[in-house]
Amino acid sequence: RHEIQKDLDRRLVSIHGGKLTTFRKMAEEAVDALSEALGVAPPSSESRAGLRKSMLWPGLDRKDAARLVDELAGVRNGPAPLRNIVDHLVRHYGADARGIMIAAASTPGALTPMFEGLSYTLAELRYLCHNEQVLHLADLAKRRTPVYFLADRAGLDVWPGLLDQLADVLGWTPRRRAAELAELDREFRADTAALAETAPPVPELIPTTANRA
């Protein structure tokens, strides 16, 4: 769900919420609201059609994306783990997946998933550090990827070794890496505590002896 609020007097448009599956609709509504706030004509029907039909993958249409996955995986029915990694990269980075794969060729294990059950690899994380203005470990763990939320506590045990392998990209000293790890751990503990405080009580499925009495 999302909500778009307009303050026409101040010519201010605010967007709240939203998700990937409805981002085009949200963008269209936001531009309509902004057009009204600025007193200009809304986008044409041709522009709206272009937004609704534009490429789902960065720089690729559906057929091109499928062909690129086949090409980068090596063979059409290649090993499932590699195809899963390639599919993940193409869906997230489109044509840039090729460059990620080429860079990975010079680093042993760069295409091995780093977090159990997730497709995030060292190659992808190095790409993000190079191209997505990663200033803190939390940027990489929480904002450039959802690893912080999906890997949960187990993810914290992986980051120390990963930071050693990303040190040359990030330019962080051992002291800086230790500080970033400590801060991520602090954030995780704070988030866990906050969730515990706000979680609804678990209903009692089996009455206790006292309740039965």
Side-chain angles (χ1 to χ4, degrees):
R1 298 180 58 184
H2 65 269
E3 179 182 0
I4 296 176
Q5 296 180 333
K6 297 176 290 185
D7 185 337
L8 298 182
D9 292 334
R10 298 168 60 196
R11 299 199 302 176
L12 175 67
V13 174
S14 300
I15 304 172
H16 306 275
K19 56 183 182 178
L20 183 62
T21 52
T22 59
F23 78 98
R24 296 173 195 251
K25 183 176 186 296
M26 183 175 66
E28 189 172 345
E29 292 177 6
V31 171
D32 286 340
L34 187 61
S35 299
E36 182 181 0
L38 296 176
V40 299
S44 65
S45 57
E46 291 80 5
S47 296
R48 295 177 190 277
L51 173 66
R52 296 166 185 169
K53 297 178 181 178
S54 60
M55 299 173 179
L56 296 175
W57 295 265
L60 300 171
D61 61 22
R62 189 180 299 274
K63 290 183 179 179
D64 287 339
R67 283 194 291 265
L68 184 58
V69 170
D70 285 342
E71 175 192 338
L72 296 180
V75 290
R76 188 167 186 81
N77 296 310
L82 177 59
R83 288 190 66 84
N84 291 342
I85 295 297
V86 171
D87 183 71
H88 167 88
L89 291 175
V90 171
R91 282 189 292 109
H92 283 77
Y93 308 104
D96 284 352
R98 186 190 307 278
I100 297 174
M101 294 287 290
I102 291 173
S106 61
T107 305
L111 292 175
T112 300
M114 305 304 296
F115 302 90
E116 185 176 358
L118 302 177
S119 296
Y120 295 93
T121 62
L122 176 63
E124 179 178 356
L125 298 178
R126 290 181 68 87
Y127 170 87
L128 292 171
C129 291
H130 267 301
N131 297 280
E132 297 293 335
Q133 298 180 335
V134 173
L135 301 179
H136 298 283
L137 178 55
D139 291 334
L140 192 58
K142 301 175 73 172
R143 290 176 277 277
R144 305 302 185 271
T145 72
V147 165
Y148 178 90
F149 308 99
L150 300 179
D152 203 47
R153 174 69 205 184
L156 296 181
D157 298 330
V158 177
W159 283 114
L162 265 179
L163 279 191
D164 289 342
Q165 299 179 78
L166 296 171
D168 62 315
V169 187
L170 294 168
W172 292 353
T173 64
R175 182 176 180 179
R176 170 70 184 279
R177 298 201 295 272
E180 293 288 341
L181 288 166
E183 177 60 20
L184 190 69
D185 184 76
R186 186 199 66 76
E187 289 189 31
F188 186 87
R189 292 177 185 275
D191 289 343
T192 301
L195 286 173
E197 291 175 0
T198 58
V202 178
E204 184 179 325
L205 300 179
I206 302 177
T208 62
T209 303
N211 289 339
R212 286 199 300 268

